[in-house]
């Protein structure tokens, strides 16, 4: 059975907490707060240019979606 | 769907998605164009075969909303139905309450439609991510089913003013 992730943008904590409670203990789905952008913004850490290029290449879809909506559903094959 | 053959540890995959990067294709619409899809969602693509019936029921509920068919929608509701909306203090209780609310909403927003962009079924719970037209404001609804009846909905609008935002024309 495919596992699914719901990744919630940091700007929508109420949605994150609701979904996390609603799907608690369900093996098929996991609810996550998008921590990468939050950590990057909060800590203002310098990022090596090579890693930055890799990250941007790696998950442009998720980043794009989370800029325009509260969450994204990702299916793990 | 994530293309990541040979990896089965979800925790590791999750970390790679969030921290290190992984090739991801997000199921957003039926044609891959990025444009909102019709309400029909490829249930088999999003859920296991055993969970597809739950998703189909929820799709029918959205179809009834999109057809502005109050009777068809309320007929799908359980007698003990509770409808909640984030940021709204009072809940709808029972099909009659839902019927009145739906009529009122459709009178205020006669062009209201929802396009389903993705969905997730977990047991009797179905999470549907949608975009409301004509404003294109996104949001989601978690629907709980008991048999073929809808017993509970919880709706979240990405915009804080919810339905009011649907009055805005798309950019």
């Amino acid at each position: 059975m495919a596992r699914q992730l719901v990744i919630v943008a940091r700007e929508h904590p109420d949605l994150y907490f609701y979904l996390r409670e609603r799907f608690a203990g369900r093996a098929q789905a996991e609810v996550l707060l998008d921590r990468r952008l939050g950590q990057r913004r909060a800590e203002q850490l310098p990022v090596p240019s090579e890693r930055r290029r890799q990250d941007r290449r790696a998950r442009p879809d998720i980043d794009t979606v989370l800029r325009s909506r509260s969450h994204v559903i990702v299916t793990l094959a | 769907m994530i293309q990541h053959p040979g990896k089965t540890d979800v925790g590791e995959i999750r970390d790679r998605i969030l921290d290190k990067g992984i090739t991801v294709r997000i199921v957003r619409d039926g044609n891959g164009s990025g444009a909102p899809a019709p309400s029909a969602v490829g249930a088999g693509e999003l859920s296991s075969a055993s969970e597809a019936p739950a998703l189909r029921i929820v799709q029918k509920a959205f179809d009834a909303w999109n057809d502005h068919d109050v009777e068809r929608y309320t007929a799908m509701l359980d007698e003990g139905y509770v409808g909640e909306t984030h940021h709204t203090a009072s809940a709808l209780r029972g099909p009659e309450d839902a019927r009145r609310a739906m009529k009122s909403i459709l009178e205020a927003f006669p062009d209201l439609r929802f396009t389903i962009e993705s969905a997730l079924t977990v047991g009797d719970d179905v999470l549907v991510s949608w975009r409301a037209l004509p404003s294109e404001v996104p949001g989601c609804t978690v629907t709980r089913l008991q048999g073929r009846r809808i017993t509970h909905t919880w709706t979240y609008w990405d915009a804080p003013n919810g339905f009011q935002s649907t009055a805005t024309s798309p950019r």
Side-chain angles (χ1 to χ4, degrees), chain A residues 4 12 30 58 69-71, chain B residues 14 22 117 120 129 156 158:
Chain A
Q4 291 181 298
H12 298 271
E30 188 170 357
R69 66 176 309 143
S70 60
H71 67 285
Chain B
R14 178 194 61 198
I22 186 171
E117 295 192 336
L120 161 65
S129 303
Y156 184 92
D158 288 11

Side-chain angles (χ1 to χ4, degrees), chain B residues 14-171:
Chain B
R14 178 194 61 198
D15 288 344
R16 288 171 61 83
I17 290 171
L18 295 177
D19 291 335
K20 298 169 188 171
I22 186 171
T23 302
V24 172
R25 183 176 68 82
I26 299 168
V27 179
R28 296 182 62 192
D29 55 43
N31 57 20
S33 67
S39 65
V41 170
E45 190 176 7
L46 298 171
S47 305
S48 70
S50 62
E51 292 163 344
L55 180 55
R56 278 199 291 271
I57 291 169
V58 173
Q59 274 186 245
K60 287 180 180 177
F62 274 86
D63 288 343
W65 264 95
N66 288 339
D67 292 341
H68 293 192
D69 192 331
V70 177
E71 298 308 317
R72 200 165 89 222
Y73 176 71
T74 53
M76 301 179 73
L77 305 179
D78 186 81
E79 283 302 314
Y81 168 76
V82 176
E84 298 178 288
T85 300
H86 179 248
H87 280 318
T88 302
S90 59
L92 302 174
R93 299 193 178 278
E96 284 307 313
D97 217 4
R99 182 199 310 272
R100 281 191 293 272
M102 185 174 175
K103 279 185 175 176
S104 173
I105 290 166
L106 292 175
E107 283 172 9
F109 307 106
D111 297 328
L112 179 65
R113 279 184 56 84
F114 296 93
T115 56
I116 295 176
E117 295 192 336
S118 58
L120 161 65
T121 303
V122 181
D124 293 331
D125 285 331
V126 180
L127 166 64
V128 168
S129 303
W130 43 255
R131 200 169 286 272
L133 302 178
S135 63
E136 298 191 10
V137 172
C140 63
T141 299
V142 185
T143 301
R144 176 160 289 171
L145 299 170
Q146 191 167 25
R148 299 183 62 82
R149 296 283 182 176
I150 295 171
T151 60
H152 184 264
T153 56
W154 184 85
T155 297
Y156 184 92
W157 290 78
D158 288 11
N161 52 352
F163 273 116
Q164 300 302 322
S165 60
T166 65
T168 308
S169 297
R171 283 171 288 180

